[in-house]
């Protein structure tokens, strides 16, 4: 493990089935509800996946490869700025582990191989807690959070 | 309630210090954390146990080492539940005041 790489581990317990959670990650029309993006791929090992903004522009904000998939228990993908997609060395890695825990599922998201202090590392460390809270809220209460919310946003000022 | 555990875990300066240490450098071993704490290893272990119970710290085994990671997801939930909600209320009050003072354009 070289010193300039960093790892984040995020855990949340969700009252839902493994399948529901797995679908919420891999089916774009569901992810759009709580993530504002769909994760688009044929989900075969070696295939490309794209994190596509759910609006008219359909901008691809993240891209990577499917490294490992074992529905509904485990998904490993690589993660990169779309402009850096061809440079596999620069990809970081995201692992989703879904383990039944009492009447819930323990979802662990491990984001590693990240360049310490990079814009991506800073961005994801703000992003994942928000996305996972939103996923939990969406699956348990059908009320997702606004993942683009900004504490200072004056939505009422318009 | 999950929130109870989170608040209880946060209600102690030692545990807040552990979280700060992990925020500074994620993925530390017990030994590394103890080096910054002025107390017995056993006590630190107990505090970490409570933080793990509250899901504020998660651990990953790497070889013989156990690494501790800050898990801010429950803090995000508290933010959503206890901070943002009240900010929104404040913003909507301001909006009502503005509408009141300036008049509602649609009704004119």
């Amino acid at each position: 493990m070289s010193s300039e790489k960093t790892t984040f581990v995020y855990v949340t317990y969700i009252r839902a089935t493994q399948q529901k959670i797995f679908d919420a990650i891999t089916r774009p029309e569901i992810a759009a509800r709580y993530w504002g993006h769909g994760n688009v791929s044929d989900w075969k090992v070696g295939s490309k996946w794209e994190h596509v903004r759910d609006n008219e522009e359909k901008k691809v904000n993240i891209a990577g490869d499917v490294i490992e998939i074992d529905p509904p228990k485990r998904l490993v993908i690589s993660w990169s700025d779309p402009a850096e997609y061809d440079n596999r060395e620069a990809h970081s890695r995201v692992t989703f582990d879904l383990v039944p825990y009492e009447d819930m599922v323990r979802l662990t998201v491990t984001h590693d191989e990240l360049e310490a202090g990079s814009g991506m590392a800073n961005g994801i460390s703000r992003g994942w807690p928000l996305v996972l809270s939103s996923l939990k809220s969406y699956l348990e209460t059908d009320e997702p959070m606004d993942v683009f919310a900004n504490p200072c946003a004056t939505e009422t000022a318009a | 309630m999950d929130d109870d555990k989170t608040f209880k875990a946060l209600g102690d300066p030692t545990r807040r210090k552990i979280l700060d240490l992990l925020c500074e450098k994620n993925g530390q071993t017990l030994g590394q954390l103890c080096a910054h704490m002025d107390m017995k290893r056993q006590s630190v272990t107990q505090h970490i146990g409570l933080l793990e119970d509250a899901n504020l710290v998660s651990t990953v085994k790497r070889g013989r080492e156990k690494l501790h990671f800050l898990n801010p997801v429950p803090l995000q939930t508290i933010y959503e539940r206890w901070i943002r909600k009240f900010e929104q209320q404040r913003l909507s009050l301001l909006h009502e005041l503005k509408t009141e003072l300036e008049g509602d354009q649609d009704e004119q």
Side-chain angles (χ1 to χ4, degrees), chain A residues 1 10-11 130 133 153 156, chain B residues 55 62 71 76 80 91 95:
Chain A
M1 199 169 59
Y10 300 107
V11 182
L130 194 53
S133 315
T156 54
Chain B
N55 195 25
R62 202 160 285 170
N71 180 41
Q76 183 72 43
E80 292 290 341
L91 289 174
H95 176 64

Side-chain angles (χ1 to χ4, degrees), chain A residues 1 7-13 106 129-130 132-133 136 145-146 149 151 153-158, chain B residues 2 26 55 58 60 62 67 69-74 76-77 79-80 84 87-88 91-92 95 98:
Chain A
M1 199 169 59
T7 299
F8 293 90
V9 182
Y10 300 107
V11 182
T12 186
Y13 294 84
R106 182 182 207 263
L130 194 53
L132 294 180
S133 315
K136 177 180 165 73
M145 291 163 182
D146 178 3
T154 48
E155 56 193 359
T156 54
Chain B
D2 289 354
N26 220 348
N55 195 25
S58 54
V60 173
R62 202 160 285 170
L67 305 181
F69 289 89
L70 174 67
N71 180 41
V73 182
Q76 183 72 43
T77 310
Y79 169 73
E80 292 290 341
R84 208 174 118 198
E87 278 180 350
Q88 277 170 345
L91 289 174
S92 83
H95 176 64
K98 179 176 154 69

